Amino acid sequence: MEPVIKINPGATKWDIRQKIWDYIEEKNLANFPRPVHNRIPNFKTANPACSRLADLQVFKSSQTVKVNPDRPQQQARFIALEAQKTLLVPTPRLRTGLFNKITPPQGASKEQLRVCSTAQGVKDFSVPVGLEAKVKVDLVVVGSVAVSEKGLRIGKGEGYADLEYGMMASMGAVNESTVVVTVVHDCQVVDIPEELIGSHDLTVDFILTPTRVITTNCQLPKPQGIIWIKLDAEKLEKIPVLKKLRALEEEAGKDVTLGETPAAPEPGPQATGRPRRPARRRPRPNMQPDAERDPKEESKQDGRAEGEQKARLHPPRVRKESRGDGGEGSEGEMAARGKGKSRGNREKAPEEGAREVASQRKLPLSVTTVYLGGIPAGLRVSELKTALREKEATPLRLTWQGAQHRAFLDYSDPQAAEQALESLQGLSLNGHSLQAELAKSQRGGKRSGQPGRRPRAKAAPAEARGDAAEAAEQ
């Protein structure tokens, strides 16, 4: 079968990732979370693709199955539990350990098993499995951004699947007979040049798509352990379990020499040595204080110098912004917007836009906004702040709209917002589950922090309803 996406000669791993992410977004092939960039895509037909797992003989004969924690493989986790397999799920980003063993309630119903297969269920119904545990994994299921019919695989660029497999190999949980399966959309099956695959990269034996099962007969060996020279001290600090494994291997007399930390690493350095995101796609936010900016220079850039100067000479009523000081959110912001709308004078729009920018003096000009919906009536903003701190998801600014049962959280860059989203999945306050997702203005690569963009979040209740339906389906 001919690949849907053609890979140009000389393409890098990042070129291939970007092409697939762009295609999936352009064709609207994915569910939440969106956009799919820098993620394992949660494609809409993931459940039928995962369901093919039950037909594999290697699955039927397996006892212990390890499945990645990503959303598109949720159905694979459910199938493993339904078939009464021992299910191991890695901790997200390996922050708190290597594995969680899922332990459903005794006599669990099908619906309870579905709950156990969700991200929140993995947290609530699991026990940790340490490096010292004697575990034998028969089958490994991973997500991918791209995969070839020859079994070559490209992940989202952080190297966690490769590290997980390398650690399993080091602890004797996997060997050359362990089967690796990936679940992807048909468009993610592409031609990957073999020279892009390193000794640390995980390859796959089976590819499950919504339309077919591909046996790769891959000839490349899988990682036999951690290749320490490809890691640096900064990576070890982020993954404590990796530091522990290194100490054990050092005691055993193995070479655990680390590579050098890059002189100017991008956020989230990878085991592959590549930046997490292409720098060209992420404009640098202007961190200069307003007092140091030249209004004439700004007029060359956006044509709003006059409005900018007026805004500085006559500051508007700046919205109340919550930065951990106990403020109650954005009542001032809402009042300012209402006042601007009632004027009905289009000629004032540039000035209003300039004032919007001027009201964000201590923030980057470009921020990434997360929508938080389903906030229960009576919840105080201080309670939400406490929950955000506990989840390590404190934003630069919190815009509180409690009457509309929602809030907006501004983060410095897409990476920080993505980490916050992961931490906030499954958040529950006062018995109500909250929905966390990127604000609509952030989707499809649109810049955040631009004047006039936040009002688009009025459509957020529809998103909340969509997520509620999705949760009910689960």
Side-chain angles (χ1 to χ4, degrees):
M1 183 174 175
E2 198 69 21
V4 175
I5 300 174
K6 303 294 183 184
I7 304 302
N8 298 326
T12 65
K13 284 185 178 180
W14 274 106
D15 293 333
I16 296 172
R17 290 183 185 109
Q18 199 64 47
K19 202 158 193 176
I20 289 174
W21 285 327
D22 289 346
Y23 182 89
I24 291 175
E25 280 295 323
E26 179 187 345
K27 301 297 182 181
N28 194 29
L29 299 176
N31 289 321
F32 171 83
R34 299 279 293 273
V36 299
H37 295 80
N38 305 300
R39 305 180 190 275
I40 299 296
N42 183 25
F43 58 98
K44 293 180 178 179
T45 48
N47 282 4
C50 287
S51 296
R52 295 181 178 275
L53 182 65
D55 299 327
L56 294 181
Q57 184 57 43
V58 290
F59 174 78
K60 294 176 182 178
S61 61
S62 65
Q63 294 182 345
T64 302
V65 180
K66 175 256 176 188
V67 183
N68 65 302
D70 294 303
R71 186 72 171 271
Q73 282 71 48
Q74 180 174 310
Q75 179 71 2
R77 297 192 290 273
F78 167 72
I79 289 172
L81 291 174
E82 190 178 38
Q84 299 183 340
K85 309 291 185 184
T86 297
L87 175 61
L88 302 177
V89 179
T91 59
R93 296 179 178 272
L94 300 175
R95 281 188 290 252
T96 58
L98 179 54
F99 289 135
N100 288 314
K101 178 183 176 182
I102 310 306
T103 56
Q106 191 168 3
S109 65
K110 183 176 286 191
E111 287 310 308
Q112 287 175 312
L113 294 179
R114 287 194 184 280
V115 171
C116 292
S117 67
T118 65
Q120 187 60 41
V122 169
K123 295 177 184 177
D124 295 341
F125 300 95
S126 65
V127 293
V129 177
L131 291 172
E132 301 84 359
K134 301 300 180 184
V135 178
K136 172 69 166 64
V137 178
D138 305 305
L139 181 67
V140 175
V141 180
V142 297
S144 302
V145 173
V147 66
S148 77
E149 293 191 4
K150 295 180 179 179
L152 311 184
R153 173 190 174 274
I154 295 177
K156 59 185 176 184
E158 296 183 331
Y160 286 106
D162 307 321
L163 284 173
E164 289 162 10
Y165 194 91
M167 282 189 274
M168 287 191 291
S170 296
M171 62 189 286
V174 295
N175 54 36
E176 61 277 358
S177 66
T178 305
V179 175
V180 179
V181 177
T182 192
V183 183
V184 295
H185 190 275
D186 287 283
C187 74
Q188 293 173 259
V189 182
V190 296
D191 293 327
I192 299 175
E194 191 170 322
E195 58 268 19
L196 293 181
I197 304 302
S199 56
H200 63 283
D201 287 320
L202 181 62
T203 55
V204 303
D205 303 296
F206 290 92
I207 303 169
L208 309 183
T209 80
T211 64
R212 55 184 175 150
V213 176
I214 303 171
T215 304
T216 68
N217 297 315
C218 185
Q219 301 301 310
L220 291 182
K222 297 181 177 67
Q224 299 301 305
I226 297 295
I227 305 174
W228 297 104
I229 196 66
K230 290 185 176 290
L231 303 178
D232 55 46
E234 190 173 349
K235 190 75 170 180
L236 252 63
E237 288 301 319
K238 293 183 177 181
I239 307 177
V241 68
L242 200 57
K243 189 187 297 186
K244 184 177 180 180
L245 176 62
R246 182 170 180 256
L248 291 174
E249 293 204 349
E250 189 171 23
E251 287 178 11
K254 296 185 179 179
D255 183 6
V256 292
T257 304
L258 297 176
E260 293 184 3
T261 302
E266 293 287 331
Q270 314 306 317
T272 57
R274 292 179 181 271
R276 183 164 185 221
R277 295 176 177 83
R280 60 186 174 82
R281 298 187 66 84
R282 295 287 181 257
R284 287 184 177 272
N286 189 347
M287 302 298 291
Q288 281 186 306
D290 286 60
E292 297 179 9
R293 297 182 194 149
D294 184 358
K296 293 181 180 180
E297 184 64 26
E298 288 192 357
S299 69
K300 297 177 183 178
Q301 298 175 7
D302 57 16
R304 293 197 296 268
E306 181 179 354
E308 196 79 42
Q309 292 168 350
K310 288 180 180 178
R312 287 173 182 150
L313 291 172
H314 307 287
R317 294 181 195 169
V318 180
R319 59 186 170 193
K320 261 203 258 182
E321 295 175 353
S322 171
R323 296 195 183 111
D325 54 1
E328 282 286 321
S330 63
E331 295 174 3
E333 175 192 10
M334 294 169 68
R337 285 181 187 156
K339 185 175 179 182
K341 288 180 182 178
S342 64
R343 290 176 184 171
N345 187 350
R346 293 188 179 182
E347 294 180 1
K348 294 287 184 180
E351 182 178 343
E352 292 171 12
R355 291 183 178 186
E356 176 78 11
V357 173
S359 71
Q360 303 177 13
R361 297 196 172 192
K362 293 186 180 180
L363 292 172
L365 285 183
S366 178
V367 295
T368 303
T369 304
V370 169
Y371 162 80
L372 195 62
I375 293 176
L379 184 75
R380 293 177 177 272
V381 69
S382 58
E383 295 174 305
L384 177 58
K385 288 181 185 178
T386 300
L388 293 175
R389 283 195 295 268
E390 290 175 351
K391 293 281 187 179
E392 297 183 356
T394 304
L396 293 175
R397 172 179 58 203
L398 187 156
T399 302
W400 175 258
Q401 296 182 0
Q404 288 78 35
H405 308 290
R406 67 192 181 197
F408 295 93
L409 315 176
D410 288 340
Y411 294 92
S412 58
D413 54 43
Q415 182 191 13
E418 181 183 343
Q419 291 174 348
L421 276 173
E422 289 187 1
S423 300
L424 295 175
Q425 293 308 307
L427 176 62
S428 178
L429 294 175
N430 294 354
H432 290 73
S433 295
L434 276 62
Q435 299 89 39
E437 55 194 63
L438 286 179
K440 277 197 169 183
S441 60
Q442 312 300 309
R443 300 183 186 175
K446 296 175 183 175
R447 287 186 59 196
S448 57
Q450 292 179 345
R453 285 295 179 93
R454 177 63 65 77
R456 294 189 60 192
K458 290 179 179 178
E463 295 181 338
R465 289 195 296 272
D467 271 358
E470 188 176 51
E473 180 183 349
Q474 295 171 9

